[in-house]
Amino acid sequence: MTTDTTTAATTPATTASRTKALRGLTALGGVATVASTFLSWTYTDEFPGDLTVYGYPGGLQVLTLVAGALVLLYALAALDIRGLRWLAPTGTTKALRLLALGAFATTWFTVIAIAVELGGIVNLEPGGFVAAVTSAIPLIAFLLPDDTHKATRPRELPSWAEILIIVAAFGTGLYVVTYGIDTEYAELFTGYMITAGFAVTALFKAGLMARLSGLTTKYRSIAVAAAFVAAAAFPFTQTTDQFTLIAVNILIFATVALGLNIVVGLAGLLDLGYVAFLGVGAYTAALVSGTTASAFDVHFPFWAAVLTGAAVSLIFGVVIGAPTLRLRGDYLAIVTLGFGEIFRITVGNLDGVSGPQVTNGPNGVPNIPDLVFFGYDFGESHTILGIELGGYANYYLLMLLAMILVVLVFSRAGSSRIGRAWVAIREDETAATAMGINGFRVKLIAFALGATLAGLAGTVQAHVQSTVVPEMYVFAGPVPPNSAFLLAAVILGGMGTISGPLIGATLLYMIPAKLQFLQDYQLLGFGLALILLMRFRPEGLIANRRAQLEFHETGQLDTPEGTLPESGVGTVKAGA
């Protein structure tokens, strides 16, 4: 009996000592992983990134170094190092496990890639084997007990410190995104996605992202200004237009996805032909741009071309929506899919042979001149603050302003009376109609507004691409944006939110652009991704509070622990 009492009395102390020892070993594993990146991993520089140098990490070694440093940082936070507990408001164990897995996955991906591309493990230096072993040490974190708890109110910081944290967070985000866009080869981008995916998920699980979200809510105006400055600073980090073009197309794709989010995410209208409105705006801007290939001898100034493209898209939205929005569900989806195909076929037949000479048929409208606004030629390089910006940088900044306009329209509309009517219609149209909401009128407004925003983005796209052809506006194809990609971006990111479709569009554009060998398997990959998403996170990557409570039975009315809610409007329906 005495022995049992002694054992029971010493068990908590023993458990605490064991937990502390495991955390210490995890920290040592992080140090060892970081140290291994300063060794040579391969004999030859034929593998991209030149991993042959001692004392200077390069290529994928940098990603392993970052992952190992994050493991060390959160292991020290788990050991109650003063000041570091702020990084893990809801606990460190889940974050440590994810970070350890990320470091292991990145390192082993690199080692396997070296062996496969160079013809066997004989091409590995001893440093490569050391890295493979040391990256497995932090996996000890999986033996740690779960210390997840409800986030407590942090110690009040001075206002200047909290503002500095916001600025640092957006600066770090700019660097991370820029690094991903600037990756020069597929192996590095794959490693970047592995590291970034595990790291971001770990920060969510640790509750750090929710804490940062609280700070941005507290200092909303400062956070908005910091976000704009960070986004606007991107072209100033580039020396050529090679990667700036990717960023411009991401902004176009994301802007159109956000417009579709009004139709799908707020109003609940499944539109499978939305890319046609992008095409309407692009063709309209191309035909009034003054190009010699246009059937109309007109040359509108920049502001007039933008307004014309948006207005024509609005008209098409009303004309198409008026007779079709009395349908619901799958029937509406089929009709909108038909409209998208009709648009593509029609512009392909307006070639002077099958129909009137308007769009040059399959040849499209080429040689679209660059935009000129108050004497500022967007196609020429300009020096700003001592830094030379190329033509695509000019279009990037223009498209950034267009995105800000779309975000403002989305947020204002979603929070307005008409926005609440959209949500009511999406949740239960019959009940909403019984409460006095004119369902047809409300849905037509959503359809028309979404079409207008798509047309606005299309006017810029036409000048960026300098040509428009029917093959650019299909339901599904190898190059985004198309209707399937746009819908996937909205669902993947999180319907009814602002940042969700932006993140979804960024991922869905960057992955095909960087991993060219996946061109033939894109739809398969997106299908699998959506299946996994609906199984494990049906509310999307970024979801609002109501969506999380709907899809996750937490037994309480607050946000599930370790997640980042967005105060968007509406909820997500699994079958939407």
Side-chain angles (χ1 to χ4, degrees), residues 202-278:
L203 297 182
F204 272 96
K205 292 296 183 182
L208 180 60
M209 301 300 287
R211 177 160 289 178
L212 292 175
S213 177
L215 289 179
T216 57
T217 301
K218 182 178 179 180
Y219 301 96
R220 184 176 298 276
S221 58
I222 295 176
V224 170
F228 174 75
V229 171
F234 172 79
F236 293 92
T237 65
Q238 305 298 302
T239 57
T240 67
D241 271 349
Q242 178 183 359
F243 300 117
T244 308
L245 177 58
I246 295 178
V248 174
N249 287 324
I250 288 175
L251 287 182
I252 293 174
F253 190 13
T255 302
V256 180
L258 194 57
L260 178 61
N261 197 26
I262 294 178
V263 180
V264 177
L266 296 184
L269 306 174
L270 186 55
D271 189 348
L272 298 182
Y274 187 75
V275 74
F277 296 119
L278 177 69

Side-chain angles (χ1 to χ4, degrees), residues 441-523:
R441 182 176 64 87
V442 167
K443 290 191 293 185
L444 184 60
I445 292 174
F447 209 73
L449 180 58
T452 303
L453 297 180
L456 177 67
T459 60
V460 180
Q461 184 202 34
H463 291 85
V464 172
Q465 302 290 347
S466 74
T467 184
V468 289
V469 292
E471 287 73 19
M472 296 171 60
Y473 310 103
V474 297
F475 170 72
V479 180
N482 53 61
S483 293
F485 276 65
L486 290 169
L487 188 60
V490 173
I491 297 175
L492 176 67
M495 293 186 289
T497 65
I498 295 176
S499 57
L502 304 183
I503 294 175
T506 301
L507 292 175
L508 292 186
Y509 190 91
M510 281 183 61
I511 292 175
K514 294 294 183 178
L515 304 180
Q516 297 291 335
F517 63 91
L518 292 179
Q519 288 283 349
D520 296 333
Y521 306 98
Q522 287 182 31
L523 293 180

Side-chain angles (χ1 to χ4, degrees), residues 335-390:
V335 171
T336 55
L337 176 61
F339 163 64
E341 291 301 301
I342 289 172
F343 169 78
R344 179 181 62 83
I345 295 172
T346 300
V347 295
N349 287 335
L350 297 179
D351 57 356
V353 178
S354 301
Q357 172 59 279
V358 178
T359 64
N360 293 327
N363 296 323
V365 183
N367 303 320
I368 301 173
D370 290 308
L371 290 174
V372 178
F373 188 56
F374 288 113
Y376 188 93
D377 191 336
F378 283 77
E380 296 181 355
S381 298
H382 298 272
T383 301
I384 300 178
L385 300 177
I387 300 176
E388 184 177 354
L389 298 181

Side-chain angles (χ1 to χ4, degrees), residues 285 288 299-311 371-374 378 398 456 459 463:
V288 300
H299 187 183
F300 286 6
F302 163 68
W303 61 269
V306 171
L307 293 179
T308 303
L371 290 174
V372 178
F373 188 56
F374 288 113
F378 283 77
L398 174 63
L456 177 67
T459 60
H463 291 85

Side-chain angles (χ1 to χ4, degrees), residues 158 162 167 235 283 335 428 475 485:
E162 293 180 334
V167 173
Y283 265 97
V335 171
D428 192 327
F475 170 72
F485 276 65

